Amino acid sequence: QSTWGLQAYSGTMLPRLSRACATIRSFHTSLPVLSNTRQTLNPPKVRPFATVDKYIDGTPRQPPQVTHRFGTTDSELQGINEQVKKIFSFEFASRAEKTKLDVAQAIQSYQRFPHDTGSPEAQVAALTVRISRLAEHIRAFKHDTHCLRGLHLLVSQRKRLLVYLRRTNMAAYRNLCERLGLRDIGDDSVLRYTKRYSQYQLQPSKLKAKFAASAKKAAAAAAK
């Protein structure tokens, strides 16, 4: 009875498995190769980027402005007792105030132009400061799971920004990683976060139909 069942199973399932394997093999051979062929045919232009001493337009970079607490300026503190001035210094500031100052100075050091806060370089610099502060806190308090989750969110957000910068401006990406001491995220992360790779991974049937239609169109044009 077991031999008969095995023969029946092999007689019905093996043809189905062979047809499925043939379909998968033909689908993979019809897909284009995900390589850097487009970059070799059309090499990307080297875009300008901001450096340590210059903005993206070539003008000299202004040094980070160190302000006092509560937004006070030097002119407002003139003629005040030295003991009172210490209250407005960051020596007696809280941890949140010091982090806010470090984030502002990091943005001023990596921004593309004055008053820039939304460029990838400025956002990555600000996120790096916040990540380092949270890492110090988690080393001291290992069971703080809420801060650990926030740290993971910040790291993933910084990685998305680095992927975008690496895909759009490789020179600025390398300069930023060298200045911040970050390691290269690699090509796999770039492919994982791009739209084309996500479509290839999630919707292979639509891509197969698209490539088949383009191939049929090219064959018809060649026949004419």
Side-chain angles (χ1 to χ4, degrees):
Q1 186 178 359
S2 60
T3 305
W4 178 85
L6 181 61
Q7 291 177 355
Y9 178 79
S10 61
T12 56
M13 293 302 298
L14 287 180
R16 296 180 183 178
L17 290 175
S18 62
R19 287 195 297 270
C21 292
T23 304
I24 294 173
R25 195 180 301 109
S26 62
F27 168 68
H28 281 289
T29 53
S30 63
L31 285 177
V33 180
L34 296 177
S35 61
N36 295 328
T37 55
R38 184 171 57 181
Q39 296 183 2
T40 56
L41 295 177
N42 298 321
K45 297 181 180 179
V46 179
R47 299 182 179 179
F49 58 92
T51 58
V52 181
D53 53 350
K54 292 183 181 180
Y55 290 113
I56 194 170
D57 56 354
T59 57
R61 182 185 295 276
Q62 300 295 330
Q65 299 178 0
V66 180
T67 58
H68 301 279
R69 295 178 65 190
F70 315 119
T72 56
T73 59
D74 295 333
S75 60
E76 294 176 352
L77 295 178
Q78 290 181 358
I80 299 179
N81 190 8
E82 295 296 332
Q83 298 297 330
V84 179
K85 284 185 179 180
K86 289 185 178 181
I87 300 176
F88 294 93
S89 65
F90 282 94
E91 182 181 357
F92 301 98
S94 62
R95 186 182 181 90
E97 289 178 339
K98 292 180 180 179
T99 304
K100 188 176 181 180
L101 175 66
D102 293 339
V103 168
Q105 289 182 352
I107 290 176
Q108 292 179 6
S109 300
Y110 289 88
Q111 58 189 359
R112 294 182 176 179
F113 48 86
H115 309 291
D116 170 34
T117 57
S119 61
E121 294 91 337
Q123 293 188 58
V124 168
L127 288 173
T128 303
V129 173
R130 295 176 60 187
I131 286 170
S132 62
R133 296 296 182 273
L134 275 180
E136 293 176 1
H137 174 79
I138 290 173
R139 291 191 193 99
F141 305 95
K142 298 181 181 180
H143 299 286
D144 193 350
T145 56
H146 297 283
C147 286
L148 183 61
R149 181 179 180 274
L151 178 63
H152 291 165
L153 292 176
L154 292 179
V155 170
S156 62
Q157 183 180 358
R158 184 180 67 176
K159 187 174 183 180
R160 288 194 296 269
L161 289 170
L162 288 173
V163 166
Y164 170 76
L165 186 62
R166 191 181 191 275
R167 183 163 47 86
T168 56
N169 196 343
M170 178 61 75
Y173 167 79
R174 290 176 177 174
N175 179 54
L176 181 65
C177 290
E178 184 179 356
R179 292 176 62 185
L180 289 176
L182 303 176
R183 61 182 180 181
D184 188 13
I185 54 179
D187 296 332
D188 295 336
S189 298
V190 177
L191 290 176
R192 192 177 301 113
Y193 280 94
T194 51
K195 186 177 180 181
R196 182 176 182 180
Y197 184 78
S198 62
Q199 288 181 352
Y200 164 72
Q201 187 178 12
L202 299 178
Q203 300 175 355
S205 58
K206 292 184 178 180
L207 276 183
K208 183 180 179 181
K210 180 180 178 180
F211 294 145
S214 61
K216 187 182 296 185
K217 186 176 180 181
K224 290 181 182 180

